[in-house]
Amino acid sequence: MAYTTLSEQVRKLANAQRSDAFVKEFRAAVRDGTFDAADLPQRFTLPKAFTRRGQDDTYSRDVRDMVFEATPAFDEWFADMNTQLTPARRGGTIKPTYENIEAGLVDFKALAASTREKMQASYTKGQTLGNSRKGAAPAKRGAALAKKAPAKKTVARKKA
């Protein structure tokens, strides 16, 4: 049986900045019974550089090391977890600037079609709103004021 430690597996991660998430998932898998592992008395430092909010300095964390059996099932779990923790680099969306349109990086016909759809939707919304207000009768000014402030009753005093 080949045994290995958690610290060795952390060093094999493709993205060291996700080592804390890997340790958390590893412990959850041990807790769920996905594979067996045992605690070791020594600790190791995670390769991730942590930063505190609003500060520029970094610090590191130590976690308890564990030993486990390196089985094909664990290797499959590790490969899956390693790909989940490695971010897929995607190119950002290209902003529709004059230069990007001129260079052909942005499809002008698609951009024009989406602009036309937005303008048509805005126009239709305005027409619908205006037509819905046509049917309503205008409120009378005096009626609204009379409802808000009821007239005060005056009591006539007798002269003595």
Side-chain angles (χ1 to χ4, degrees), residues 65-129:
D65 208 354
M66 297 179 87
V67 64
F68 61 94
E69 189 176 354
T71 61
F74 172 78
D75 292 337
E76 182 180 323
W77 179 86
F78 178 74
D80 181 47
M81 191 57 55
N82 199 12
T83 55
Q84 284 181 16
L85 295 176
T86 304
R89 292 295 293 166
R90 295 181 293 138
T93 56
I94 300 171
K95 300 207 185 303
T97 61
Y98 176 77
E99 292 81 14
N100 290 341
I101 293 170
E102 199 171 55
L105 300 174
V106 177
D107 184 16
F108 177 74
K109 296 289 184 186
L111 188 63
S114 77
T115 302
R116 188 177 307 110
E117 288 173 11
K118 280 195 279 187
M119 291 175 76
Q120 183 61 40
S122 177
Y123 177 78
T124 305
K125 182 179 176 183
Q127 292 298 312
T128 305
L129 181 62

Side-chain angles (χ1 to χ4, degrees), residues 21-96:
F22 173 74
V23 169
K24 184 177 180 180
E25 290 296 325
F26 181 87
R27 290 186 182 279
V30 170
R31 191 172 42 251
D32 294 342
T34 307
F35 48 85
D36 295 327
D39 280 329
L40 293 175
Q42 65 263 23
R43 300 175 75 79
F44 71 97
T45 303
L46 292 176
K48 179 176 179 173
F50 294 91
T51 57
R52 288 189 174 86
R53 195 176 306 165
Q55 296 181 356
D56 294 332
D57 60 332
T58 60
Y59 66 98
S60 59
R61 289 188 185 157
D62 291 343
V63 294
R64 183 173 290 224
D65 208 354
M66 297 179 87
V67 64
F68 61 94
E69 189 176 354
T71 61
F74 172 78
D75 292 337
E76 182 180 323
W77 179 86
F78 178 74
D80 181 47
M81 191 57 55
N82 199 12
T83 55
Q84 284 181 16
L85 295 176
T86 304
R89 292 295 293 166
R90 295 181 293 138
T93 56
I94 300 171
K95 300 207 185 303

